[in-house]
Structure formats: C-alpha cells, structure tokens
Amino acid sequence: MRPDRSSDPHISSLTAKKRPAVRYVIAVLVSFCMLLIGFVTWDAWHSRQQRLADTATVTANMALALATQGEGTIRVVDSVLAGVVERIEHDGMVGTDRERLRLHLRNMVSSVEELHGLFVYGADGSWVVTSLEQPIRGNNSDREYFRYHRVNKDRSVHVGLPVRSRSSGVWILPVSRRLDNPDGSFAGVVLGTIRVDYFSSIYERFDTGASGTIVLMHDQGRLIYRHPFDEKLVDNDVTKGTIYALYKRSPTAGTAMIRSYIDGVERLYSYRHFDGFPLIVATAQAKDEILAKWWQSTSILAAALLVVLALLCGGAWRLVRQIMIRDRLEQELVSARAVLQQDNRELAHLADNDVLTGIANRRRFEHLLQVEKSRAGRSGKPLSLVMVDVDYFKKYNDTYGHVAGDECLRQVAAALRDSLGRPTDLAARYGGEEFAILLPDTDPRGARNVAEHLRIAVMRAAIPHAANPPGVVTISAGVCTMRFATGDDTDPTLLVERADALLYRAKQSGRNRVRSDEDEDSSDTGMDRDRDKKNAQPGSAARHA
C-alpha cells in the first residue's frame, strides 16, 4: 500500500499556490484578528500599568503622610524631653525638687497623648524620677539607649530599638536625651516612651484594603509595628526582608512590588525614611485588590472579543470551505504529481546510497571518482583515496551472526562518515566490508592523517569483536595519492587498484594499521609493486580477510 502523503509540506505548498483566494481570505482574517487581539491586549496592558502606577502614587503619598505623622509624634515627645533636660541641668540633680519634677512628668504624660511614660535615670542607671503613680526601684543601665548616651556626648534626641517596659510589661519605643553635669560629664538619661500599639490609632485611619498593611521599622533592621498589629512580630529581625534591602539601595524612599515573607501576599509597597529619625515607614496594598476591578473589566472585554472572533472565524470558514470544494479536484492532481516527484526523489536516493549503511554506494563512488579525476586534471591538485577493510569480518559474522554483522557495518560506516571534516570528502561502501574514502585536493601526508583518524575513530566506537586481538572491531587502510594532467586519459580505477594493494599490505603487516605510498620501503622493486596490484584486484582476499 502506498503511504499517505497528504500532509507532505511540498504537497501543501503546491496546493496553496493553486488556491490564492483561500490564502487571501485566511491572511486577511488572521491579520484582522491579530490586529484586534493586539489592540485589545495593548489597551488591557496599558490599563493595568496605569492602575498600578496610580496606586503607586497613592501609596507613595500615604507613606509620606505616615512619615510626617510619625515625625510629628517623635518631635512632640522630644519637646517634652528637652524641657525636662533643661530643667534638671539648670537646677542640678541634687537641687532638683524631685516631687515637683515627678508631678511635672505626670502632667506631661496625661496631657500628651503620644507619651506612655517619662523617666529620669542617674549616671549609674538607677531610677531617679518617673511619671508612675507608684515608682518601682530598678536599674536600666543595661538598656540600649542608656549605653548609647553613656558613650556618646551627642545632645540630640535618640530613638532606640523597641523594648518591653519593665514597669508596665508592654512593648514601647524609647525616645531619650542625655543629661550632663556642669563639667560636661555624663549625669544620666531622660526617657520618654511611646506604646508600640499607639501607632494603631494612627495607622488604622488609613485605608489599605482588606489585605493591605502598614509597617514601621527601625533602620537598624528591627520591626516596631505592623498593621494589623501582632505583638509577636515586634522586634523581629527584618534585615533579610525585601523592603529593608530596597532601603539599603535607596535610603530615602522607594516603591516596588514585593511578596511578603510574613504572609506570602504580593503587595505594592512604598516606603519612606523619617527625616532626622532612624525610622522607616512602609505602606502597601495587595496586588490582587489593586487589579480586581481591572480583571473584571478585562474579563468582560475578553469575552466580547471571543464572541467577535468566533463570528468572524465562522463566516470565514464557510467562505473557505466553498473555495476548498471548488478546488478539490485540482488539489488531488497536485497531490498526485507531488507523490510522483517524491517517489522519484526516493528512487534517486536509493540509486546513489547504500541501503544497509546509508552512505554512498559503489555506483555513486565510481561516478564521483571520474568527476574528481577530471577536476584534479584541470586544477593540477592531488587526488587521494583511502581503501578501508574491516579486520576479521568473516570471523565476526561467524561469532555474532549476520544480523550483528550488518549492524557492525552500519556503525563502521557512521564512524567513517562522521570523521570526515570536509563536505567534499566522500565515504562510500565499495563492497562487502570494504569502504572507499575519496579525498579531493589532499596530498599524501594529509591523506594518511585522515586514514589514521578514521582508524582511531572506528576503534573508539568500541564495537565488541572477540575474534580480533584488540577485542574490538578495527580496520586496515591503504592510502594512495595521484596527480592527473589536463586531458589525461589515465583510468582513475588505477587509483583504486593501488590503494587496494596498499590495503593488502596493511593486512599482511598485522592489520589495524594504515599503509600508504610513503610507507613503501625504498628497496621494494617495481616487480613487488606489480605483484601487490595483482593481489589487490577486485575479489581478492584482501576484501574478505
């Protein structure tokens, strides 16, 4: 049964050339559909980017507002601290009326909503005066802010890392100033505390959506507050978070789409560093919420587009179908002609190539030998030939069987073909287990190098051969080079005879080796060479050993 070739690309191209109307309709339809899809896609993408850009502007403005609010909170507390420092340093720690000072601290805490507590510590860290109703005795010299002021003479406000209050047990943000003695030595610390959950009263006023968030962190990489508030997250290390990494690259402000490492939600974040304080605030809206309305409108638009495309394709298909029915006979004729041409190509391939190995056959080799001999005569360049024979191939067949022998020949042929470096070189099966390698424009040394390369390539193929001393399949090769003059009527088969004779010598000298004209001993007589040629005639033992 003849194979079905209706899907042959050559047939399809011929058929398409006979159906310009079909191709025109399809081209117009495809172009229009692609244009429509491209426009809708571009519009949807532009709307999406605009939506994200607008939200980025909103979150950036919100981050600015939150930073301004936070800065104001810190400055209010700092103003109270500055007043207490001035009062103590003016009156001195010894001369200060501690009861009056305690009442003053209590009044400040009750009138300033940002304050959770006010504390004065001595140089040794002991509690001197506090705003508490019932002061407790203790020592805060181990706190970060106390250690900072003890070694730094900086008189500006210091915002420390969040700590859990020893007096109330809640998380607080410490804001402190240094106290100095008249001689400038360290006299202690004035501390104002802000409850971490105080920021909830500020941040809950901002609408960040159901999955949005607001984050306040210290620029030393510690989390202070995250909305919605979770006490377990306070003082967590955020140095490995994406927001902190962005801050390190752009210390003032920035915006980016980030997936949270806390809850895995992808959000559009905008952050801003406080002006004059070591704090960073970031606000974010969930990407899904930002694009929810966009997805809704885009889905409606995509559905409408699909309906339009379906109607267009349906109408176009009806038109194309009518054209295809009209052209059916012509297509069948074109297909039949294409099948015939394909058959001719296959026959030509079979005529020029060996069925078993897939390389050139003897017919093609002898034709190209004549062609290359004429070309060598015109150019004056040498023409070389390598005759190759598989060693102990009869023993191989006797050991492994003829099916394995055929596979062996295929592998040897593949090794020879793949080892040739130029497109002008030709590997052909000459007969049985003998191969011919035609090498145009190749001198004796180059031809011998090629032959050695072929011999090594076959050995590296590692085809098992127990009856061969190396244990694998090997080849022997004879290499001959000739030059021809213009109009030279020398029979090119002489090149085959000489190469075959050298192949016979290679087998006589031990197999698995190359023998060339250059290897011939200078003492060899012409009679010896004639004897070699006679022994190497087609059908000689050299091809079957």
mmCIF file of all heavy atoms in Angstrom, residues 175-206:
data_model
loop_
_atom_site.group_PDB
_atom_site.id
_atom_site.type_symbol
_atom_site.label_atom_id
_atom_site.label_comp_id
_atom_site.label_asym_id
_atom_site.label_seq_id
_atom_site.Cartn_x
_atom_site.Cartn_y
_atom_site.Cartn_z
ATOM 1 N N VAL A 175 12.373 56.960 73.457
ATOM 2 C CA VAL A 175 12.906 58.210 72.912
ATOM 3 C C VAL A 175 13.623 58.899 74.055
ATOM 4 O O VAL A 175 13.017 59.159 75.110
ATOM 5 C CB VAL A 175 11.780 59.094 72.355
ATOM 6 C CG1 VAL A 175 12.359 60.361 71.756
ATOM 7 C CG2 VAL A 175 10.958 58.332 71.324
ATOM 8 N N SER A 176 14.903 59.207 73.900
ATOM 9 C CA SER A 176 15.694 59.652 75.058
ATOM 10 C C SER A 176 16.646 60.784 74.706
ATOM 11 O O SER A 176 16.957 61.016 73.530
ATOM 12 C CB SER A 176 16.488 58.470 75.620
ATOM 13 O OG SER A 176 17.311 57.891 74.616
ATOM 14 N N ARG A 177 17.086 61.480 75.804
ATOM 15 C CA ARG A 177 18.114 62.527 75.702
ATOM 16 C C ARG A 177 19.129 62.342 76.827
ATOM 17 O O ARG A 177 18.804 61.815 77.895
ATOM 18 C CB ARG A 177 17.494 63.919 75.787
ATOM 19 C CG ARG A 177 16.956 64.446 74.461
ATOM 20 C CD ARG A 177 16.420 65.849 74.617
ATOM 21 N NE ARG A 177 16.070 66.442 73.344
ATOM 22 C CZ ARG A 177 16.899 67.165 72.595
ATOM 23 N NH1 ARG A 177 18.145 67.374 73.018
ATOM 24 N NH2 ARG A 177 16.503 67.683 71.452
ATOM 25 N N ARG A 178 20.318 62.826 76.620
ATOM 26 C CA ARG A 178 21.410 62.722 77.592
ATOM 27 C C ARG A 178 21.362 63.878 78.572
ATOM 28 O O ARG A 178 21.046 65.012 78.200
ATOM 29 C CB ARG A 178 22.744 62.705 76.846
ATOM 30 C CG ARG A 178 23.989 62.751 77.732
ATOM 31 C CD ARG A 178 25.227 62.865 76.869
ATOM 32 N NE ARG A 178 26.406 63.219 77.653
ATOM 33 C CZ ARG A 178 27.448 62.428 77.882
ATOM 34 N NH1 ARG A 178 27.437 61.210 77.377
ATOM 35 N NH2 ARG A 178 28.481 62.835 78.589
ATOM 36 N N LEU A 179 21.691 63.553 79.841
ATOM 37 C CA LEU A 179 21.859 64.562 80.882
ATOM 38 C C LEU A 179 23.345 64.739 81.132
ATOM 39 O O LEU A 179 24.089 63.756 81.223
ATOM 40 C CB LEU A 179 21.158 64.126 82.174
ATOM 41 C CG LEU A 179 19.632 64.221 82.217
ATOM 42 C CD1 LEU A 179 19.111 63.544 83.471
ATOM 43 C CD2 LEU A 179 19.179 65.674 82.169
ATOM 44 N N ASP A 180 23.784 65.992 81.270
ATOM 45 C CA ASP A 180 25.194 66.280 81.542
ATOM 46 C C ASP A 180 25.336 67.028 82.858
ATOM 47 O O ASP A 180 24.471 67.836 83.253
ATOM 48 C CB ASP A 180 25.794 67.134 80.423
ATOM 49 C CG ASP A 180 26.149 66.295 79.208
ATOM 50 O OD1 ASP A 180 26.131 65.051 79.320
ATOM 51 O OD2 ASP A 180 26.428 66.891 78.149
ATOM 52 N N ASN A 181 26.434 66.765 83.533
ATOM 53 C CA ASN A 181 26.828 67.570 84.684
ATOM 54 C C ASN A 181 27.398 68.898 84.194
ATOM 55 O O ASN A 181 27.704 69.049 83.007
ATOM 56 C CB ASN A 181 27.879 66.814 85.510
ATOM 57 C CG ASN A 181 27.288 65.604 86.214
ATOM 58 O OD1 ASN A 181 26.232 65.703 86.834
ATOM 59 N ND2 ASN A 181 27.979 64.455 86.105
ATOM 60 N N PRO A 182 27.537 69.879 85.075
ATOM 61 C CA PRO A 182 28.104 71.177 84.650
ATOM 62 C C PRO A 182 29.455 71.054 83.964
ATOM 63 O O PRO A 182 29.800 71.866 83.107
ATOM 64 C CB PRO A 182 28.202 71.955 85.968
ATOM 65 C CG PRO A 182 27.120 71.381 86.822
ATOM 66 C CD PRO A 182 27.065 69.933 86.496
ATOM 67 N N ASP A 183 30.239 70.042 84.356
ATOM 68 C CA ASP A 183 31.553 69.880 83.718
ATOM 69 C C ASP A 183 31.479 69.096 82.410
ATOM 70 O O ASP A 183 32.496 68.796 81.795
ATOM 71 C CB ASP A 183 32.513 69.193 84.693
ATOM 72 C CG ASP A 183 32.035 67.793 85.090
ATOM 73 O OD1 ASP A 183 30.930 67.393 84.635
ATOM 74 O OD2 ASP A 183 32.754 67.109 85.830
ATOM 75 N N GLY A 184 30.280 68.730 81.956
ATOM 76 C CA GLY A 184 30.094 68.016 80.691
ATOM 77 C C GLY A 184 30.132 66.519 80.819
ATOM 78 O O GLY A 184 29.962 65.814 79.810
ATOM 79 N N SER A 185 30.337 66.024 82.023
ATOM 80 C CA SER A 185 30.369 64.578 82.207
ATOM 81 C C SER A 185 28.951 64.011 82.209
ATOM 82 O O SER A 185 27.972 64.745 82.402
ATOM 83 C CB SER A 185 31.088 64.216 83.505
ATOM 84 O OG SER A 185 30.397 64.786 84.614
ATOM 85 N N PHE A 186 28.853 62.732 82.017
ATOM 86 C CA PHE A 186 27.567 62.054 81.914
ATOM 87 C C PHE A 186 26.854 62.071 83.257
ATOM 88 O O PHE A 186 27.399 61.646 84.283
ATOM 89 C CB PHE A 186 27.783 60.611 81.443
ATOM 90 C CG PHE A 186 26.535 59.796 81.343
ATOM 91 C CD1 PHE A 186 25.513 60.152 80.460
ATOM 92 C CD2 PHE A 186 26.359 58.672 82.139
ATOM 93 C CE1 PHE A 186 24.362 59.385 80.353
ATOM 94 C CE2 PHE A 186 25.206 57.898 82.044
ATOM 95 C CZ PHE A 186 24.216 58.266 81.149
ATOM 96 N N ALA A 187 25.585 62.565 83.256
ATOM 97 C CA ALA A 187 24.815 62.656 84.500
ATOM 98 C C ALA A 187 23.614 61.718 84.497
ATOM 99 O O ALA A 187 23.002 61.513 85.555
ATOM 100 C CB ALA A 187 24.344 64.089 84.715
ATOM 101 N N GLY A 188 23.245 61.176 83.342
ATOM 102 C CA GLY A 188 22.092 60.285 83.309
ATOM 103 C C GLY A 188 21.325 60.429 82.026
ATOM 104 O O GLY A 188 21.796 61.004 81.027
ATOM 105 N N VAL A 189 20.075 59.929 82.024
ATOM 106 C CA VAL A 189 19.243 59.890 80.826
ATOM 107 C C VAL A 189 17.817 60.274 81.186
ATOM 108 O O VAL A 189 17.300 59.880 82.239
ATOM 109 C CB VAL A 189 19.254 58.481 80.197
ATOM 110 C CG1 VAL A 189 18.251 58.390 79.060
ATOM 111 C CG2 VAL A 189 20.644 58.107 79.705
ATOM 112 N N VAL A 190 17.194 61.077 80.290
ATOM 113 C CA VAL A 190 15.765 61.356 80.388
ATOM 114 C C VAL A 190 15.089 60.558 79.279
ATOM 115 O O VAL A 190 15.470 60.675 78.111
ATOM 116 C CB VAL A 190 15.468 62.857 80.244
ATOM 117 C CG1 VAL A 190 13.960 63.086 80.259
ATOM 118 C CG2 VAL A 190 16.120 63.644 81.356
ATOM 119 N N LEU A 191 14.108 59.755 79.649
ATOM 120 C CA LEU A 191 13.482 58.844 78.710
ATOM 121 C C LEU A 191 11.987 59.111 78.594
ATOM 122 O O LEU A 191 11.301 59.267 79.616
ATOM 123 C CB LEU A 191 13.686 57.384 79.154
ATOM 124 C CG LEU A 191 12.929 56.308 78.371
ATOM 125 C CD1 LEU A 191 13.504 56.167 76.967
ATOM 126 C CD2 LEU A 191 12.979 54.967 79.106
ATOM 127 N N GLY A 192 11.510 59.183 77.353
ATOM 128 C CA GLY A 192 10.084 59.214 77.090
ATOM 129 C C GLY A 192 9.710 57.978 76.295
ATOM 130 O O GLY A 192 10.426 57.603 75.360
ATOM 131 N N THR A 193 8.628 57.308 76.638
ATOM 132 C CA THR A 193 8.255 56.066 75.958
ATOM 133 C C THR A 193 6.939 56.239 75.219
ATOM 134 O O THR A 193 6.030 56.925 75.675
ATOM 135 C CB THR A 193 8.139 54.904 76.954
ATOM 136 O OG1 THR A 193 7.113 55.199 77.903
ATOM 137 C CG2 THR A 193 9.451 54.663 77.672
ATOM 138 N N ILE A 194 6.869 55.597 74.056
ATOM 139 C CA ILE A 194 5.650 55.580 73.241
ATOM 140 C C ILE A 194 5.218 54.120 73.114
ATOM 141 O O ILE A 194 6.023 53.263 72.731
ATOM 142 C CB ILE A 194 5.911 56.161 71.839
ATOM 143 C CG1 ILE A 194 6.507 57.565 71.933
ATOM 144 C CG2 ILE A 194 4.629 56.167 71.016
ATOM 145 C CD1 ILE A 194 6.967 58.110 70.597
ATOM 146 N N ARG A 195 3.972 53.833 73.468
ATOM 147 C CA ARG A 195 3.470 52.469 73.300
ATOM 148 C C ARG A 195 3.482 52.103 71.815
ATOM 149 O O ARG A 195 3.046 52.885 70.964
ATOM 150 C CB ARG A 195 2.046 52.353 73.836
ATOM 151 C CG ARG A 195 1.933 52.393 75.346
ATOM 152 C CD ARG A 195 0.474 52.366 75.759
ATOM 153 N NE ARG A 195 -0.160 51.109 75.365
ATOM 154 C CZ ARG A 195 -0.486 50.131 76.213
ATOM 155 N NH1 ARG A 195 -0.240 50.276 77.512
ATOM 156 N NH2 ARG A 195 -1.079 49.039 75.786
ATOM 157 N N VAL A 196 3.983 50.905 71.523
ATOM 158 C CA VAL A 196 4.017 50.466 70.135
ATOM 159 C C VAL A 196 2.614 50.398 69.554
ATOM 160 O O VAL A 196 2.376 50.787 68.401
ATOM 161 C CB VAL A 196 4.740 49.104 70.015
ATOM 162 C CG1 VAL A 196 4.529 48.499 68.635
ATOM 163 C CG2 VAL A 196 6.233 49.262 70.276
ATOM 164 N N ASP A 197 1.652 49.932 70.359
ATOM 165 C CA ASP A 197 0.294 49.839 69.831
ATOM 166 C C ASP A 197 -0.390 51.194 69.694
ATOM 167 O O ASP A 197 -1.517 51.278 69.195
ATOM 168 C CB ASP A 197 -0.552 48.893 70.678
ATOM 169 C CG ASP A 197 -0.618 49.319 72.147
ATOM 170 O OD1 ASP A 197 -0.118 50.422 72.472
ATOM 171 O OD2 ASP A 197 -1.172 48.550 72.960
ATOM 172 N N TYR A 198 0.316 52.272 70.141
ATOM 173 C CA TYR A 198 -0.225 53.614 69.925
ATOM 174 C C TYR A 198 -0.345 53.905 68.426
ATOM 175 O O TYR A 198 -1.245 54.622 67.987
ATOM 176 C CB TYR A 198 0.672 54.653 70.596
ATOM 177 C CG TYR A 198 0.453 56.065 70.092
ATOM 178 C CD1 TYR A 198 -0.636 56.833 70.521
ATOM 179 C CD2 TYR A 198 1.322 56.635 69.159
ATOM 180 C CE1 TYR A 198 -0.843 58.123 70.057
ATOM 181 C CE2 TYR A 198 1.118 57.917 68.685
ATOM 182 C CZ TYR A 198 0.032 58.657 69.131
ATOM 183 O OH TYR A 198 -0.175 59.925 68.655
ATOM 184 N N PHE A 199 0.590 53.320 67.648
ATOM 185 C CA PHE A 199 0.584 53.592 66.210
ATOM 186 C C PHE A 199 -0.668 53.043 65.536
ATOM 187 O O PHE A 199 -1.022 53.470 64.443
ATOM 188 C CB PHE A 199 1.845 53.011 65.566
ATOM 189 C CG PHE A 199 3.104 53.698 66.005
ATOM 190 C CD1 PHE A 199 3.918 53.135 66.980
ATOM 191 C CD2 PHE A 199 3.468 54.916 65.463
ATOM 192 C CE1 PHE A 199 5.078 53.769 67.388
ATOM 193 C CE2 PHE A 199 4.634 55.559 65.868
ATOM 194 C CZ PHE A 199 5.443 54.991 66.844
ATOM 195 N N SER A 200 -1.355 52.091 66.197
ATOM 196 C CA SER A 200 -2.608 51.593 65.641
ATOM 197 C C SER A 200 -3.630 52.703 65.507
ATOM 198 O O SER A 200 -4.384 52.769 64.532
ATOM 199 C CB SER A 200 -3.171 50.474 66.530
ATOM 200 O OG SER A 200 -2.344 49.351 66.510
ATOM 201 N N SER A 201 -3.672 53.599 66.506
ATOM 202 C CA SER A 201 -4.642 54.695 66.474
ATOM 203 C C SER A 201 -4.386 55.631 65.304
ATOM 204 O O SER A 201 -5.294 56.341 64.861
ATOM 205 C CB SER A 201 -4.588 55.475 67.792
ATOM 206 O OG SER A 201 -3.313 56.068 67.975
ATOM 207 N N ILE A 202 -3.149 55.648 64.814
ATOM 208 C CA ILE A 202 -2.802 56.497 63.658
ATOM 209 C C ILE A 202 -3.033 55.730 62.356
ATOM 210 O O ILE A 202 -3.729 56.195 61.452
ATOM 211 C CB ILE A 202 -1.339 56.958 63.746
ATOM 212 C CG1 ILE A 202 -1.103 57.760 65.039
ATOM 213 C CG2 ILE A 202 -0.962 57.783 62.522
ATOM 214 C CD1 ILE A 202 0.346 58.130 65.260
ATOM 215 N N TYR A 203 -2.486 54.522 62.279
ATOM 216 C CA TYR A 203 -2.459 53.801 61.017
ATOM 217 C C TYR A 203 -3.816 53.225 60.631
ATOM 218 O O TYR A 203 -4.074 53.005 59.443
ATOM 219 C CB TYR A 203 -1.427 52.681 61.083
ATOM 220 C CG TYR A 203 -0.002 53.186 61.256
ATOM 221 C CD1 TYR A 203 0.995 52.376 61.782
ATOM 222 C CD2 TYR A 203 0.340 54.495 60.898
ATOM 223 C CE1 TYR A 203 2.301 52.840 61.935
ATOM 224 C CE2 TYR A 203 1.628 54.968 61.061
ATOM 225 C CZ TYR A 203 2.597 54.138 61.583
ATOM 226 O OH TYR A 203 3.868 54.602 61.723
ATOM 227 N N GLU A 204 -4.682 52.967 61.605
ATOM 228 C CA GLU A 204 -5.994 52.426 61.270
ATOM 229 C C GLU A 204 -6.886 53.451 60.579
ATOM 230 O O GLU A 204 -7.938 53.099 60.037
ATOM 231 C CB GLU A 204 -6.674 51.896 62.537
ATOM 232 C CG GLU A 204 -6.064 50.588 63.036
ATOM 233 C CD GLU A 204 -6.719 50.106 64.318
ATOM 234 O OE1 GLU A 204 -7.574 50.859 64.854
ATOM 235 O OE2 GLU A 204 -6.371 49.015 64.790
ATOM 236 N N ARG A 205 -6.492 54.701 60.599
ATOM 237 C CA ARG A 205 -7.258 55.723 59.892
ATOM 238 C C ARG A 205 -7.027 55.664 58.381
ATOM 239 O O ARG A 205 -7.781 56.252 57.615
ATOM 240 C CB ARG A 205 -6.864 57.119 60.398
ATOM 241 C CG ARG A 205 -7.062 57.314 61.897
ATOM 242 C CD ARG A 205 -6.445 58.631 62.329
ATOM 243 N NE ARG A 205 -6.380 58.753 63.792
ATOM 244 C CZ ARG A 205 -5.695 59.706 64.423
ATOM 245 N NH1 ARG A 205 -5.018 60.604 63.719
ATOM 246 N NH2 ARG A 205 -5.679 59.750 65.739
ATOM 247 N N PHE A 206 -5.973 55.004 57.978
ATOM 248 C CA PHE A 206 -5.632 54.921 56.549
ATOM 249 C C PHE A 206 -6.217 53.640 55.963
ATOM 250 O O PHE A 206 -6.105 52.563 56.555
ATOM 251 C CB PHE A 206 -4.116 54.939 56.358
ATOM 252 C CG PHE A 206 -3.480 56.247 56.719
ATOM 253 C CD1 PHE A 206 -3.115 56.515 58.038
ATOM 254 C CD2 PHE A 206 -3.246 57.211 55.764
ATOM 255 C CE1 PHE A 206 -2.520 57.719 58.375
ATOM 256 C CE2 PHE A 206 -2.652 58.419 56.095
ATOM 257 C CZ PHE A 206 -2.282 58.675 57.404
#
